[in-house]
Every structure is written in C-alpha cells, then in structure tokens.
Amino acid sequence: MTVSSRGAGFRGGARWVGLPRLHVIAGDGELVGTGFRDRLAGMVGVGGGRLAVHLRGREMSAARLCEVAAGAVEVGREGGSLIVVNDRLDVALAAGAGGVHLREDSMGPDEVREVAGAGRAGFLVGRSIHAPEQAAALADGRVDYLVLGSVYETASHPGARPIGAGAVAAAAAAVAVPVLAIGGVGLGEVSGLLALGAHGVVVKSGVWGADDPLPAVTRYLEMLHAEG
C-alpha cells in the first residue's frame, strides 16, 4: 500500500504507516450472532492487511466482549488484518487488539497512551469527530487516525444532518494523520472521498447489510485500491 507522507515529522507518525483503507464495524448484532468468527475469517481472508475490523460491543459485558475480541484478534493475526476495539481500552489491551477507537466522550488519547504504556508502542489510537474543526484540535499527533462523520445521510442516525463531503476535505487538510469518512458511504462515494483527501472509509451496513458480506468487502477494497 502506498501511504501518504503527510505524517512525516509528527510524533508517532510511523505508527499508522500501512493503516488499512477499509474499516468495517461489527456491532452487537454481528458480534453475538451465530458464526461471527467464521464470517470474520472470511473477511480477513479477502482483506488481509488491507482490512481493519472494529468491534463495537456497546451492550455486551466486558467479559463477553473480551472473549469475542480475543477470538477476533487470533483470526486477524492469522490473516494480517487489524482488529480494533471501540471505546473499551481495558478489553483492547486484555485481548491483545491492535488498537482502540475512542468516541468523543471516551478517555483522552494521552490517557490511553499512559495506560497502554511504552510496551505497546504499536498500539493504534483512533478517535471519532463530527466536524473538521475538531480535527485541527487534534493536529498534534496524539491520535493515529480520525474518523469523521456522518458524511452522508444514514439510517443509523435518522434525522441527523450530514456534514457533507466538503468537511472531509477540510479535515484532511488540517491534520497530518489519516482521516476516514463514515456515514452512508456506499461504493459510489468512495472515489470522490479519496479525491478529497480521505485515507479510506468506515462502513457497517454497506457490508453487513449486503446479501453476502464477502463480495461487498471485495468491492470496497477494489474501489479503495483502484489507483494502487
């Protein structure tokens, strides 16, 4: 994968070299469903190092989420995919995940680094933002990537006003870390978002809502890597 040099000189910039362009969220419905590990293995087999999977178990107990995460990390390690736990730093560390993704109300990235310790130098810290101005506030390199949205209308946030693709361009111009677009990102929007400076996209229904998730993952990857 060709990675932008925009991060050169930023503290910890080398951590995100090779960050996947496709990030797929697995929510509670997917995590507790029968056969999740097998479906994950299929995705990892297709995506390999070009794929990141976010485990977002908001309604699961820490013990159950940790069990699922440990299995996912094992599958991801075998296929070279990045496994990230959303919000739950304790679970991410206990399961050996490759990183944690923070919400706006999560603990701060500096606190995450302190808890994770120097022994987890390759541990990625991402954060959700909802406006390009928030990207500028995180421009000191404390995070390894940012997820911005919702860019387009999405059924998961009915009635919410999308921020539009222009916000992606503004955020990407404000920081040296990768910005990924989320929210209603279908296959038809991928190339335009990349042209605006997005490093990649984060999807959920675009994959899990498909009749077969594996071809959907393949198509997203084809679109994201069409230019090499």
Side-chain angles (χ1 to χ4, degrees):
M1 178 191 308
T2 300
V3 179
S4 167
S5 62
R6 290 181 300 167
F10 266 71
R11 179 172 63 86
R15 287 194 303 264
W16 56 263
V17 171
L19 180 75
R21 294 187 183 275
L22 177 61
H23 292 231
V24 176
I25 296 175
D28 287 280
E30 291 76 37
L31 297 178
V32 302
T34 303
F36 170 70
R37 180 165 177 151
D38 290 339
R39 287 185 291 170
L40 175 63
M43 289 186 183
V44 168
V46 168
R50 301 180 298 167
L51 173 69
V53 178
H54 291 230
L55 310 181
R56 191 172 71 186
R58 292 176 176 172
E59 300 177 5
M60 302 175 70
S61 68
R64 177 59 179 145
L65 180 57
C66 190
E67 179 183 358
V68 172
V73 167
E74 182 178 351
V75 172
R77 185 177 296 121
E78 291 173 355
S81 296
L82 173 66
I83 304 297
V84 174
V85 176
N86 282 33
D87 194 46
R88 296 299 302 267
L89 176 61
D90 55 343
V91 172
L93 294 176
V100 65
H101 184 77
L102 306 175
R103 303 182 306 191
E104 286 185 313
D105 59 354
S106 300
M107 64 189 302
D110 289 336
E111 288 77 15
V112 168
R113 300 285 184 203
E114 183 176 353
V115 173
R120 297 299 299 270
F123 190 74
L124 298 179
V125 179
R127 190 177 185 276
S128 292
I129 57 174
H130 299 93
E133 295 77 14
Q134 292 175 291
L138 292 164
D140 61 358
R142 289 181 296 160
V143 296
D144 298 298
Y145 66 89
L146 293 168
V147 172
L148 174 66
S150 296
V151 177
Y152 305 108
E153 291 186 4
T154 172
S156 63
H157 294 82
R161 183 177 180 181
I163 59 176
V168 176
V175 293
V177 296
V179 174
L180 299 108
I182 189 172
V185 180
L187 290 169
E189 287 75 45
V190 170
S191 60
L193 290 168
L194 293 181
L196 289 172
H199 175 77
V201 300
V202 183
V203 299
K204 187 176 186 292
S205 60
V207 167
W208 298 109
D211 292 335
D212 188 343
L214 293 187
V217 169
T218 299
R219 289 293 294 127
Y220 272 105
L221 289 171
E222 288 174 349
M223 294 296 295
L224 288 162
H225 294 273
E227 298 181 5

